[in-house]
Amino acid sequence: MRIAVYPGSFDPITNGHIDVIERAAGISTGSSSRVAVNAAKHPLFDVDERVALIREAVAPHPNVEVDMFDGLIIEYAAKKGAVALVRGLRAVSDFEYEFQMALMNRKLENAISTVFLMPHEKYTYLNSSIVRELARLHTMYPISCRDTCSGL
């Protein structure tokens, strides 16, 4: 089985993330995707909440597992036997940072490739920072985190 790891803070998970997860999971029937939640970040939602939200969102995809990690993603991916890291690109502005990270990860572990996937264009305007801000300041528009996380 070929494993691809999609790392991130997912604070919270958005439909753009889910779209990338579905694309990664659908690339090959013989693959397994692992969504790795970075536990080291200082998020709005704690790691257990983020893992629970992601598990709920990916429940229809039996070849997707959710896990958490702390440290270098390339070390985590190597321990899990991954052949690829999956990174989502919304806009050109994401590319420079992701390109630098991909080159560094290749330097550290040449056997693991980085694959860039774009979410559907209807999700390119959205990022977790916007969703967090909506969740924090939802007094005028009463929405729950579940609505915000999965509804956008």
Side-chain angles (χ1 to χ4, degrees), residues 36-118:
V37 179
N38 188 343
K41 300 265 181 154
H42 300 290
L44 178 63
F45 300 99
D46 69 36
V47 72
D48 292 330
E49 290 172 313
R50 289 180 284 151
V51 166
L53 286 168
I54 297 166
R55 283 191 175 135
E56 182 180 328
V58 301
H61 306 285
N63 65 331
V64 176
E65 297 177 36
V66 181
D67 199 1
M68 62 180 166
F69 74 99
D70 190 11
L72 291 176
I73 188 57
I74 200 70
E75 289 177 351
Y76 170 86
K79 277 189 222 171
K80 297 297 179 179
V83 297
L85 292 176
V86 173
R87 301 300 298 158
L89 294 177
R90 290 183 311 264
V92 173
S93 58
D94 293 340
F95 180 76
E96 186 174 353
Y97 172 78
E98 294 296 345
F99 182 68
Q100 290 173 338
M101 295 306 298
L103 291 176
M104 180 52 67
N105 285 331
R106 183 174 12 177
K107 184 93 167 155
L108 295 172
E109 182 55 66
N110 193 45
I112 300 175
S113 298
T114 299
V115 177
F116 297 110
L117 296 176
M118 295 172 290

Side-chain angles (χ1 to χ4, degrees), residues 11 21 33 53 68 72 78 83 103 119 139 144 147:
D11 182 38
I21 291 166
S33 294
L53 286 168
M68 62 180 166
L72 291 176
V83 297
L103 291 176
T139 55
S144 71
D147 293 335

